[in-house]
Amino acid sequence: MSDSPKITPADLDYLAMNEVIFILPGFSLGRITLILGDFGPFVPSIATKAPLWFALYLKERKLCQIQVPSWLTCEWLETKRNEERSDPDGPLHPIHLHYMEISSILLNHASDDIPQAEEIRTLIKDIWDMRMSKLRRSISIMIKEQHVHAQVKNISYMELFCIRPHLCNSLFLIDHIQKAS
Amino acid sequence: MNSLSQLNNTSLSQSASFRDSTYVSHYSEAFNFYDIDDILASELRIPCSFNVTAYRLGYLHTNSKTEHIETGTNLELPLWLAKSLAGRKNIVKVSVPIRYTKEIRQELEADANSSDLNKLGPYYYESGIKLLSFDTPDVDAIAEVLIKTFCSRSRYIMDRSHNIYDRDQLQITNRLDESEKKLFMCGRQSVEKFQQWETQKCKKLSSSGFVRMKRKRQFDDI
Amino acid sequence: MDTNPPYEEFVTHSEGFGGCIFFSLLGRDYLLSCGSDGDIRLLDLSGEKEPIDLYIGSSHLYQLACVSEPTAGVLFACEDNSLYWINLNLNDFSKHTRKIITRFASAVYCVTTDSSGRWIAAGAADFTIKLIPASAILTTNQYTCHVLDTHSAPVLSLSFSSDGLILCSTSCDGHLIVWCTNSRTVKHKISVLSPKVSDLSLSSSRLVAALSCMTADICFMATPQSFSEEECPSVPVYSSLDYHLIDRLVSNSTTDSRSSGTFHCCAWSPDSLYLAAGTALGHIIIWSCSVDDTRVIFKRVSILRHTLRGDIISVAWGVSNITGKLMLAAFTKSGYLILYESLELTPCTIQANANQLDDSLLDGLQAADLFDSQESHSNIQVNGSNINMEESSLDSKPQTSPTKTDRKAAKKRKFVPEWEEDIAIIEPEYSQSCSEPVIQPEPSLLRQESFQPSSWPPFSQITGSEHVCLCYNLVGVVISHKAPGAFEAESENKHFNFLIEVEFHDRGVHHPLQLIDPHWFSVGVLTDELLVLGGSGNRNVKKQPKDQCLIQVHRFNAWDGSKEWNAQLPEGENALCLAAGRDWIAVVSDSLILRLFGTEGTQFDLLKMPGYPVSTAGRGSRLILVYHQNCTLKDSQNMSYYLLAVSGMKLVLLAEGTLVISLNSELRWIGFTSAESPVILDSLGHLEVGRVNSRGVIWAPMLDFSKTVRKKRNTHKLVILGITPCLVEPTEDEESVCNEEIRYIVPSHGSHYPSLYPRPSVQVVTYNPPFCSVATSGVLSLEQRYFLSTFCYGQVAKQSQEELMRLFALAARSGSFQRALEVGALLNQQYKQLAITYSSRLQLSMLGQKMNSLLDAGRVEITDTAVTIDSEDPSFAISQAEHELKDSPLVPGEEIAPFLSAIRTNSTNRDSNLFSSAPANPFKNQKAPFSRASSIDNSFIKSVIQKSLGGKHTLSNVTDNKQQTSDLFSKQSKLGETRHPVKQTEANKSFNSVESSKPKPNTFKDWLEQTMPQLEADNPTLKKTELIQIATKKWREEKREIS
């Protein structure tokens, strides 16, 4: 029962890197073909789409400027936070499924391209705390009242990672007792 | 990736797929031969009364001086023995162990959170499950009590396990049953991993604790 | 008077001070003051005079105004970009409600209301003034807020006339602008202060406009002014009727003039009898003003000295409700409030002083001064024509004579004491009225100042950081900052340096540069190879003589390793604009000289411009220069241009003429397209591109930014980076008709210029000429497409011809045949045939016939000029094909020649064949009546022509062909180019019909016909040309066999 989870947060980071964002390249390059698709042509200071891993690679070499995705702005996150806050017993509100990973990646590597980076950090933390507490409360209700079936919408990958062991194993235990009787 | 998407989109019902991906079920009615927890769980002593005489087994009974175990003797036998004896062969007649009797059950029902399941038996749930395979009249009641207890205690376990700043682990876990302890550790681990990721510790190389303590190094973090 | 009347002192606002105002409510008098600590304090003058905190805030408050009409309240201008209003709750001063009336983009410096309580005016550091109806205080609805943004520097103070019709405003740019409140238009602009400063802190005296009304029609404006240290500080007073300087008030006579210090503030008393001004040394000087029909006389009435208390920053008058006497309050920089509760002043009247001259004031007065001052003694002159007033009372007034004002203007720089004189003696000659109206020159636009394209104007309002963008174009960004304190220690004169930061969009060109700039360059231009900086704003650099301008050029990646060179312009010249092209740099100076330098500093050429330069731009070998013609007109800047080419390091004039921009607009950007045609953008957002021919330049409107840019208010502020060829490949379904795009950046909402950190995103737009569009918006109409394709590719290019074909088709289908014919006349020969085909398919016989006659006319030309290479001509295509085939090593030229000559003759035959078989039923049946040879040739030629006209594709195909043929011989590999199945089947059909009867082939052409089907069968995936190549080889072999 106490198997360590097979997927780790580092894996989630890796999966989040496939996200496509806009960059302002500082170089010129033709069209490139990646597994995700075709990107480019890259023209200096014209906003172009690129996958996140590529953008970080370029950013490290100071070859581009990352444009923050639209959901990583103060206003959007504040609205999200207020939504979650106003609805403490309700379902989880839709949010980017990799929001924790992408925000931590961008804040750690490209914070100069993000306006109001510190506020965004606090906002993301607030949103995380609220969502996790909602999740925990609903999990405990589910276990206590021995619900058999549950549906979770808009759960992000990192949240899943945190609650999966506990939830699954408790449900297994209950199941086992029930089966034995 | 596949399992993640399943987790995301489908309902979290207890379906067989989860068992394959992240969880190995150690619970089974059949005894798992190599599992220590199983072995220990099945050590539960069950009071039995012999239906027949067991010849030359008098030494099992601590009090008796006779050579054989007479019919009607009450003996506490371990569960694995009682199971096979009480099964088809009907050599013994089992009754419910003390820990699972009505009074204890009522106590548990009353206040599950504060009872010390560790004291009641470190393998309360597992043994209880194994007990359910016997044919005593209390079986359903026992099952119900087990489930109810667990359900009400799970909140406590989850809260404690997700609060990684609570350093005094021993104090929390000393009232928990073994399986609850495992659950606790599971939760703890996942949250610890998350925190490690948050603080980017997992990306830094550090020397292992064993090595660090074995040789006294001048510089602590290398 | 040297003794001060009784006064009281309070200490308020120790951090520094903003403004004060007297206020009277319910019979009690209050004095309100606001300061840089963010507080408003109230002093109850009828009571104990203890300062009470009315409002406690955190941002610097600049000025107060009181409103009593809807409810009693106080407006205050705050540094956090807002204009607030709080109500005065008399019972409990600390309880108040605060409301934001309006917000600006920068700190609000002044606020004022008019005495009738209708309007509120507020001015801010973002150069705008907002005029708000006073009813807006109470309503929460939308109210119209008029924005006046003529100023080009932060607005310092505002003042209404007492009837509320006139608002005058001063700003750091040294102008005092008089506005008409009702129409919100500029009535007049007076240049009061000559050096324009960027910010409140840099202005040496705080320009305060104080407006007072003497009679119903005359207002005065007074602004403290000081030019430089040698001159005496004075307060000039202007008349609001004709904006002439009436008088220049000073505190003392010439000998003693410096003792009072510069004037910092002034205020008129409520009854407009007195003007008080506060000085830097702590004096308050009061003049009295008296007006009669002809003259205005100011007399200094008293000096109140408070030398210990620091400079007087603000003065305010009030009338005590209780005693009815005048009150004067003055605030000092150190936070003292000096209050005169009852000021006794005697107004001077004209009669009383008619024969007296104040003795003390005559000290040092010389005879010459007397006469000088006579002339500069001003009368009131009223011009009835441009003011809305009754003319009857004014007709008899004397007129201004221009000479007088000229003399006054000439005297502005010299200090002349102006005292009231013995009026009976002096009778200026031109006070005799002449009743004929002087011809008023039409008000003309203000001349646009010179600017460097793609740069922000200096001292742009980017709050927080002081940086100026010298150049933001396609290559990179050049920003000039004030260097941080680290560099100050290094410079000898303890003046700060500027830091120039150069960042390239494409890091591959060069790494980012940082240069220390002790010279304070004010213009710059960046190209791939150079950075040119010019100007000298720093007058304190020791080693450099003053007034000399420096040009500094940095070269990137120079092959000879040289880094930079400097050139010093001759004394007195200042560089206004720069341009750089391939191998040359042009510098335009304010003495109307354009200098041409090579990239390594050699001076090559000079040019004297006919007018004051506006801007210049260069690309490649072209240079365009825009300059003002003599004067601006009522609705046009009236600028001209020179279009020059730089060849052999000499300037050659290509074209000159009047610059065509929209009326009432200014030039915002000038540059070139990638084909070196000039492009201009005006402040209304219209982009025009010039077509250069031998006689001059025709400007065609190509884009209207106000229709493309969403935030229309910013169209005059967008910055064009440049014009480049399109990079995005066209999608397959819609070919692009335009191969160029314009890149620009737009400032974000509310700011004047795009913010530099983070870098703004670049928007892209292509031309959209304003054709009358019948089609839905967003889709270019066919005519637009044709126009664009001729513009980008040329009239004879394939794209243009295809657009013409579409137009033809549309016209033919919709029944306007004459239109179709007109369009058809523009097609080239080959396309004409397609047009004939099309018209015949639609069974439009008349159209077909007319097209044929056009075709005939064209064909005659072809046969005559078969040899000339003309891209319209199929023979050109043939010669090109010949060229290509020659290049292929495997196919020698001799064998082809007979084949190609056969084609050539056949082409003409082909035309005739088509012609003969035309209108009735020419193309319906592919296999039918033609001579097979010609049909083969037709399809083959079509393929050759299409390939050759396709330009680049052809060449690549040829090289591919070479490769393919070599591969074919070596490995028999098949390359995956798609064939053109239509041609193939056509050829197939024709060949199939031909196979049966064949004479023995003795020319390659015939032989080809025979063997073609076989070849195709052998190599099904290869293209026609490849097959032909194989065929030629085989023919060669066969020939060898034969011979």
Side-chain angles (χ1 to χ4, degrees):
Chain A
M1 175 172 139
S2 57
D3 257 343
S4 59
K6 301 249 182 341
I7 197 164
T8 63
D11 298 330
L12 292 175
D13 260 358
Y14 181 75
L15 292 171
M17 293 277 209
N18 261 345
E19 179 77 11
V20 174
I21 58 167
F22 277 97
I23 60 168
L24 297 179
F27 58 97
S28 57
L29 187 64
R31 209 171 264 262
I32 55 172
T33 307
L34 305 174
I35 293 176
L36 273 184
D38 277 355
F39 294 98
F42 293 96
V43 176
S45 81
I46 301 265
T48 333
K49 280 195 189 166
L52 183 58
W53 56 268
F54 189 54
L56 286 179
Y57 173 83
L58 295 172
K59 181 84 189 159
E60 271 173 39
R61 285 154 186 72
K62 298 197 188 12
L63 282 176
C64 81
Q65 196 186 354
I66 292 185
Q67 272 191 328
V68 172
S70 58
W71 56 267
L72 201 58
T73 50
C74 255
E75 298 81 32
W76 203 94
L77 288 174
E78 265 190 43
T79 359
K80 269 298 139 197
R81 179 186 64 175
N82 295 336
E83 265 180 38
E84 300 273 356
R85 194 182 272 170
S86 61
D87 197 7
D89 295 318
L92 292 179
H93 289 263
I95 198 169
H96 195 280
L97 292 181
H98 281 293
Y99 77 97
M100 282 298 285
E101 299 93 294
I102 295 181
S103 58
S104 87
I105 289 172
L106 287 179
L107 287 169
N108 288 329
H109 294 272
S111 59
D112 50 341
D113 288 332
I114 303 176
Q116 300 165 312
E118 289 311 314
E119 291 171 24
I120 287 185
R121 248 186 253 263
T122 30
L123 282 168
I124 294 266
K125 187 138 177 41
D126 286 343
I127 292 175
W128 166 262
D129 288 335
M130 272 188 270
R131 287 171 69 100
M132 280 304 284
S133 68
K134 267 194 198 173
L135 267 174
R136 285 192 205 129
R137 188 188 302 129
S138 63
I139 287 172
S140 65
I141 290 174
M142 177 189 172
I143 294 177
K144 199 168 202 165
E145 298 174 11
Q146 298 172 42
H147 291 260
V148 171
H149 195 253
Q151 188 175 33
V152 186
K153 283 190 188 161
N154 305 318
I155 188 169
S156 74
Y157 291 105
M158 195 53 85
E159 286 151 9
L160 258 186
F161 170 77
C162 286
I163 63 161
R164 188 186 302 121
H166 185 270
L167 180 64
C168 293
N169 292 334
S170 351
L171 292 174
F172 275 130
L173 182 51
I174 296 176
D175 175 51
H176 205 77
I177 300 174
Q178 283 178 340
K179 280 223 173 85
S181 65
Chain B
M1 199 56 199
N2 220 358
S3 58
L4 277 179
S5 53
Q6 277 180 3
L7 283 170
N8 217 12
N9 298 328
T10 64
S11 57
L12 288 175
S13 58
Q14 299 143 2
S15 60
S17 59
F18 295 132
R19 277 199 199 160
D20 311 330
S21 57
T22 57
Y23 180 75
V24 175
S25 167
H26 290 275
Y27 295 127
S28 58
E29 276 124 32
F31 296 97
N32 211 348
F33 194 75
Y34 289 106
D35 188 18
I36 295 271
D37 290 326
D38 214 56
I39 294 170
L40 292 173
S42 45
E43 282 292 313
L44 179 72
R45 297 292 165 128
I46 301 187
C48 313
S49 71
F50 273 80
N51 287 339
V52 298
T53 318
Y55 292 102
R56 289 187 292 280
L57 289 176
Y59 59 90
L60 287 178
H61 192 103
T62 49
N63 283 344
S64 80
K65 303 168 183 102
T66 59
E67 206 185 332
H68 322 295
I69 303 178
E70 306 298 326
T71 319
T73 344
N74 283 335
L75 207 57
E76 288 230 327
L77 292 178
L79 187 140
W80 49 272
L81 186 57
K83 192 159 172 85
S84 37
L85 289 180
R88 273 174 283 121
K89 304 209 178 126
N90 222 3
I91 298 174
V92 295
K93 178 167 167 283
V94 301
S95 55
V96 178
I98 318 168
R99 301 241 167 83
Y100 294 87
T101 49
K102 198 160 184 180
E103 295 82 18
I104 304 286
R105 288 209 302 271
Q106 275 172 349
E107 224 183 272
L108 282 179
E109 266 182 58
D111 186 6
N113 261 332
S114 61
S115 28
D116 192 346
L117 280 189
N118 210 4
K119 196 172 61 140
L120 277 181
Y123 288 94
Y124 197 74
Y125 290 106
E126 287 95 326
S127 316
I129 291 170
K130 293 191 193 299
L131 199 57
L132 297 174
S133 59
F134 284 95
D135 198 14
T136 50
D138 290 345
V139 161
D140 296 327
I142 292 174
E144 213 183 291
V145 157
L146 283 178
I147 291 179
K148 276 213 182 117
T149 323
F150 176 68
C151 289
S152 39
R153 286 166 73 97
S154 78
R155 174 92 204 241
Y156 174 81
I157 298 167
M158 179 167 74
D159 285 345
R160 286 289 172 272
S161 73
H162 280 214
N163 188 3
I164 50 170
Y165 301 107
D166 220 348
R167 290 285 167 205
D168 198 355
Q169 226 170 312
L170 192 60
Q171 202 183 18
I172 305 164
T173 54
N174 62 1
R175 301 176 74 85
L176 295 183
D177 183 62
E178 278 302 307
S179 43
E180 285 173 341
K181 270 191 205 145
K182 280 199 203 119
L183 201 63
F184 175 81
M185 291 315 296
C186 268
R188 249 305 146 92
Q189 255 190 359
S190 68
V191 178
E192 266 178 12
K193 278 221 159 81
F194 171 72
Q195 220 214 6
Q196 272 186 353
W197 169 80
E198 239 187 340
T199 53
Q200 308 264 308
K201 276 212 195 105
C202 48
K203 292 199 181 156
K204 297 200 175 96
L205 297 173
S206 56
S207 54
S208 103
F210 177 69
V211 171
R212 210 185 306 140
M213 284 187 279
K214 186 163 171 32
R215 286 198 253 155
K216 289 179 191 160
R217 294 186 180 222
Q218 296 285 349
F219 304 100
D220 210 10
D221 294 332
I222 292 183
Chain C
M1 289 161 257
D2 281 347
T3 56
N4 280 351
Y7 65 92
E8 287 178 55
E9 274 184 13
F10 303 90
V11 179
T12 53
H13 299 293
S14 48
E15 278 177 21
F17 177 65
C20 61
I21 192 165
F22 278 94
F23 186 61
S24 159
L25 192 66
L26 299 179
R28 295 172 76 106
D29 300 315
Y30 302 97
L31 175 66
L32 290 161
S33 65
C34 67
S36 63
D37 47 2
D39 298 342
I40 301 181
R41 301 233 172 84
L42 184 80
L43 206 61
D44 185 351
L45 297 173
S46 339
E48 313 99 26
K49 301 201 191 92
E50 272 294 314
I52 306 168
D53 275 327
L54 187 63
Y55 170 77
I56 297 177
S58 51
S59 340
H60 193 133
L61 300 180
Y62 284 102
Q63 200 175 19
L64 288 175
C66 275
V67 186
S68 52
E69 258 325 286
T71 26
V74 180
L75 291 159
F76 51 96
C78 188
E79 197 179 23
D80 65 356
N81 308 357
S82 326
L83 179 70
Y84 293 97
W85 174 80
I86 57 172
N87 68 332
L88 276 186
N89 184 345
L90 286 176
N91 304 323
D92 186 352
F93 285 117
S94 54
K95 285 211 185 83
H96 51 77
T97 52
R98 186 182 76 157
K99 184 179 161 185
I100 295 184
I101 302 286
T102 183
R103 292 193 76 112
F104 289 83
S106 181
V108 190
Y109 282 163
C110 44
V111 63
T112 184
T113 57
D114 74 338
S115 52
S116 57
R118 272 184 57 220
W119 292 104
I120 300 170
D126 65 352
F127 316 166
T128 61
I129 301 167
K130 282 194 181 166
L131 201 58
I132 303 163
S135 53
I137 296 176
L138 288 185
T139 58
T140 46
N141 306 332
Q142 291 275 354
Y143 52 86
T144 47
C145 169
H146 307 284
V147 177
L148 314 166
D149 58 359
T150 306
H151 279 297
S152 50
V155 178
L156 287 176
S157 82
L158 296 166
S159 182
F160 274 103
S161 67
S162 57
D163 52 10
L165 286 177
I166 296 178
L167 170 70
C168 80
S169 63
T170 57
S171 90
C172 291
D173 62 1
H175 293 301
L176 183 145
I177 296 187
V178 183
W179 308 81
C180 169
T181 324
N182 288 330
S183 62
R184 268 89 55 191
T185 49
V186 176
K187 277 183 136 176
H188 195 79
K189 215 178 196 178
I190 303 176
S191 181
V192 171
L193 199 62
S194 66
K196 173 176 159 176
V197 292
S198 68
D199 196 31
L200 181 63
S201 52
L202 294 178
S203 65
S204 53
S205 82
R206 195 179 163 179
L207 282 185
V208 172
L211 204 58
S212 106
C213 228
M214 274 295 283
T215 64
D217 18 273
I218 306 164
C219 307
F220 300 115
M221 296 166 284
T223 62
Q225 180 183 28
S226 67
F227 287 120
S228 68
E229 283 157 9
E230 293 95 46
E231 297 178 2
C232 186
S234 61
V235 180
V237 180
Y238 299 86
S239 150
S240 71
L241 299 175
D242 49 8
Y243 312 109
H244 285 292
L245 183 68
I246 296 176
D247 209 342
R248 187 181 298 267
L249 310 174
V250 286
S251 59
N252 265 325
S253 58
T254 34
T255 53
D256 221 358
S257 57
R258 288 195 203 152
S259 64
S260 61
T262 57
F263 288 100
H264 278 185
C265 52
C266 64
W268 288 93
S269 65
D271 50 6
S272 302
L273 288 178
Y274 300 103
L275 174 67
T279 72
L281 288 180
H283 303 292
I284 304 171
I285 304 176
I286 305 178
W287 295 271
S288 80
C289 162
S290 52
V291 176
D292 73 346
D293 282 341
T294 53
R295 292 179 289 264
V296 185
I297 297 170
F298 288 90
K299 181 178 187 257
R300 197 196 67 203
V301 162
S302 78
I303 302 180
L304 311 168
R305 292 177 213 274
H306 297 276
T307 38
L308 296 176
R309 294 291 171 236
D311 357 2
I312 309 273
I313 297 194
S314 163
V315 284
W317 289 92
V319 178
S320 161
N321 249 351
I322 302 168
T323 59
K325 295 220 176 125
L326 283 173
M327 299 190 284
L328 180 68
F331 274 81
T332 69
K333 203 169 194 174
S334 46
Y336 282 92
L337 163 66
I338 300 161
L339 177 66
Y340 289 87
E341 270 196 83
S342 53
L343 206 53
E344 300 277 351
L345 297 168
T346 49
C348 73
T349 59
I350 298 173
Q351 298 312 316
N353 295 323
N355 291 315
Q356 288 173 15
L357 289 167
D358 203 353
D359 291 328
S360 59
L361 302 175
L362 268 184
D363 286 346
L365 203 59
Q366 297 161 25
D369 290 330
L370 257 176
F371 285 108
D372 280 349
S373 54
Q374 275 176 39
E375 291 172 348
S376 51
H377 182 101
S378 65
N379 300 326
I380 286 187
Q381 285 103 16
V382 172
N383 269 326
S385 55
N386 52 355
I387 312 278
N388 321 331
M389 285 193 249
E390 290 142 3
E391 303 199 340
S392 52
S393 56
L394 307 170
D395 277 339
S396 53
K397 302 276 180 355
Q399 310 283 339
T400 345
S401 74
T403 51
K404 188 157 180 297
T405 49
D406 287 341
R407 257 177 271 152
K408 263 201 281 191
K411 290 228 164 83
K412 261 188 182 179
R413 297 232 165 223
K414 258 190 336 176
F415 170 62
V416 173
E418 294 156 16
W419 309 121
E420 52 112 6
E421 295 293 334
D422 189 352
I423 288 104
I425 307 170
I426 301 156
E427 231 1 274
E429 37 205 69
Y430 28 76
S431 65
Q432 289 153 24
S433 53
C434 48
S435 49
E436 55 207 52
V438 167
I439 297 170
Q440 290 296 311
E442 271 191 352
S444 57
L445 292 180
L446 205 60
R447 237 201 224 171
Q448 186 180 359
E449 294 175 7
S450 5
F451 68 97
Q452 178 71 23
S454 297
S455 71
W456 295 189
F459 306 112
S460 56
Q461 208 52 34
I462 301 172
T463 53
S465 54
E466 294 159 332
H467 50 252
V468 171
C469 179
L470 293 182
C471 179
Y472 197 138
N473 62 9
L474 290 172
V475 178
V477 193
V478 182
I479 306 174
S480 164
H481 307 266
K482 264 198 193 150
F487 296 106
E488 277 182 24
E490 295 176 15
S491 70
E492 300 164 301
N493 44 19
K494 300 224 173 75
H495 251 264
F496 52 85
N497 286 331
F498 273 84
L499 183 70
I500 293 194
E501 209 182 280
V502 181
E503 202 182 286
F504 294 84
H505 292 309
D506 186 349
R507 297 283 163 131
V509 171
H510 200 263
H511 60 80
L513 286 178
Q514 283 202 340
L515 311 162
I516 301 171
D517 171 24
H519 305 287
W520 296 11
F521 290 119
S522 53
V523 281
V525 79
L526 182 68
T527 68
D528 275 347
E529 301 152 13
L530 329 143
L531 167 69
V532 188
L533 297 165
S536 166
N538 188 356
R539 293 165 186 272
N540 293 304
V541 177
K542 263 193 191 165
K543 290 178 187 159
Q544 188 177 313
K546 285 191 183 181
D547 285 341
Q548 262 209 316
C549 176
L550 189 73
I551 304 288
Q552 197 175 77
V553 176
H554 297 260
R555 291 178 63 200
F556 311 131
N557 311 324
W559 62 270
D560 61 348
S562 62
K563 283 295 171 82
E564 70 176 59
W565 55 268
N566 297 333
Q568 200 114 51
L569 291 184
E571 205 170 312
E573 286 189 25
N574 194 21
L576 291 175
C577 335
L578 305 169
R582 197 188 324 127
D583 307 332
W584 54 266
I585 298 162
V587 178
V588 174
S589 72
D590 60 358
S591 51
L592 310 186
I593 296 179
L594 181 139
R595 293 188 160 74
L596 191 73
F597 292 87
T599 49
E600 202 26 64
T602 327
Q603 301 179 52
F604 281 111
D605 205 355
L606 295 171
L607 179 96
K608 180 87 178 181
M609 287 179 278
Y612 198 76
V614 176
S615 186
T616 181
R619 185 163 177 172
S621 63
R622 294 268 176 93
L623 167 65
I624 186 164
L625 178 63
V626 177
Y627 56 91
H628 279 290
Q629 282 182 352
N630 303 328
C631 57
T632 58
L633 300 176
K634 184 173 81 163
D635 51 8
S636 148
Q637 289 279 335
N638 201 18
M639 300 188 280
S640 298
Y641 69 89
Y642 267 176
L643 182 65
L644 306 156
V646 178
S647 76
M649 281 309 176
K650 287 283 169 206
L651 293 167
V652 172
L653 182 67
L654 292 178
E656 62 172 325
T658 315
L659 194 71
V660 173
I661 55 176
S662 317
L663 297 177
N664 288 317
S665 67
E666 296 183 347
L667 186 66
R668 276 282 163 255
W669 182 80
I670 186 161
F672 286 91
T673 65
S674 24
E676 297 188 7
S677 313
V679 182
I680 50 180
L681 174 72
D682 62 22
S683 57
L684 296 175
H686 299 132
L687 186 90
E688 276 125 32
V689 178
R691 286 206 299 275
V692 186
N693 58 19
S694 55
R695 305 261 326 258
V697 177
I698 307 177
W699 298 92
M702 286 302 246
L703 182 60
D704 191 353
F705 273 102
S706 54
K707 297 203 172 75
T708 43
V709 174
R710 261 177 284 141
K711 292 169 191 161
K712 290 187 188 164
R713 317 189 286 136
N714 284 340
T715 47
H716 62 288
K717 290 172 187 152
L718 56 81
V719 177
I720 290 194
L721 300 187
I723 300 183
T724 58
C726 269
L727 297 149
V728 182
E729 287 151 22
T731 54
E732 281 167 5
D733 48 354
E734 197 188 277
E735 274 189 23
S736 69
V737 283
C738 184
N739 62 352
E740 276 191 330
E741 58 187 21
I742 301 164
R743 301 222 196 127
Y744 64 97
I745 47 183
V746 186
S748 52
H749 186 67
S751 56
H752 279 262
Y753 288 96
S755 68
L756 289 169
Y757 300 105
R759 295 268 181 266
S761 62
V762 177
Q763 323 267 357
V764 160
V765 76
T766 54
Y767 301 119
N768 189 358
F771 273 62
C772 313
S773 60
V774 183
T776 56
S777 65
V779 177
L780 286 180
S781 70
L782 283 179
E783 291 130 341
Q784 268 177 327
R785 290 174 61 95
Y786 174 60
F787 180 75
L788 281 177
S789 57
T790 53
F791 173 76
C792 296
Y793 299 109
Q795 197 149 5
V796 296
K798 171 181 152 232
Q799 286 94 338
S800 312
Q801 295 291 314
E802 284 180 4
E803 295 302 326
L804 274 179
M805 269 310 292
R806 290 203 188 114
L807 274 170
F808 181 86
L810 183 67
R813 227 182 285 157
S814 59
S816 31
F817 302 127
Q818 176 60 23
R819 194 191 272 192
L821 192 63
E822 280 173 4
V823 172
L826 295 172
L827 293 167
N828 67 5
Q829 291 300 101
Q830 182 211 356
Y831 280 92
K832 276 204 184 88
Q833 281 144 20
L834 294 177
I836 295 170
T837 318
Y838 188 74
S839 54
S840 59
R841 212 179 288 164
L842 291 183
Q843 301 183 334
L844 304 168
S845 51
M846 277 300 290
L847 184 59
Q849 277 174 6
K850 297 237 164 148
M851 285 299 295
N852 263 322
S853 52
L854 285 177
L855 190 65
D856 260 348
R859 180 176 54 89
V860 168
E861 290 170 19
I862 284 180
T863 49
D864 292 343
T865 60
V867 190
T868 59
I869 296 180
D870 185 1
S871 58
E872 277 187 322
D873 197 350
S875 59
F876 163 72
I878 294 159
S879 52
Q880 204 184 27
E882 184 181 338
H883 211 58
E884 288 160 7
L885 289 174
K886 266 195 188 146
D887 287 341
S888 143
L890 299 166
V891 183
E894 317 82 70
E895 271 82 13
I896 306 298
F899 168 59
L900 286 175
S901 58
I903 294 181
R904 219 180 256 126
T905 52
N906 261 334
S907 70
T908 54
N909 288 340
R910 167 177 63 102
D911 294 347
S912 57
N913 279 335
L914 287 176
F915 175 55
S916 61
S917 54
N921 200 357
F923 287 70
K924 261 197 177 166
N925 204 349
Q926 294 281 8
K927 297 175 193 163
F930 291 33
S931 72
R932 293 147 201 140
S934 55
S935 74
I936 294 159
D937 295 340
N938 187 18
S939 51
F940 170 58
I941 288 168
K942 257 197 197 168
S943 61
V944 170
I945 288 171
Q946 275 170 355
K947 272 202 298 241
S948 60
L949 281 181
K952 280 188 198 161
H953 285 296
T954 319
L955 291 175
S956 63
N957 279 349
V958 169
T959 50
D960 283 345
N961 285 343
K962 288 188 215 167
Q963 199 59 37
Q964 285 159 16
T965 47
S966 62
D967 279 348
L968 197 67
F969 281 102
S970 56
K971 293 175 197 170
Q972 292 281 327
S973 61
K974 292 173 188 169
L975 297 174
E977 291 248 2
T978 58
R979 323 168 80 200
H980 299 271
V982 175
K983 286 183 222 148
Q984 200 58 35
T985 48
E986 261 187 298
N988 258 336
K989 286 181 204 157
S990 41
F991 281 127
N992 287 337
S993 59
V994 159
E995 244 180 355
S996 46
S997 58
K998 260 302 158 194
K1000 182 160 190 294
N1002 51 2
T1003 60
F1004 176 63
K1005 178 181 66 76
D1006 298 310
W1007 179 86
L1008 186 66
E1009 292 169 36
Q1010 284 185 343
T1011 50
M1012 188 56 104
Q1014 205 184 9
L1015 283 175
E1016 284 167 17
D1018 289 347
N1019 308 299
T1021 57
L1022 294 184
K1023 281 178 67 177
K1024 200 55 152 298
T1025 43
E1026 297 144 37
L1027 289 171
I1028 291 164
Q1029 301 222 352
I1030 300 166
T1032 50
K1033 280 168 215 121
K1034 281 204 178 158
W1035 168 256
R1036 207 187 333 147
E1037 287 160 14
E1038 273 203 19
K1039 255 218 153 168
R1040 248 182 250 130
E1041 286 167 25
I1042 291 169
S1043 59

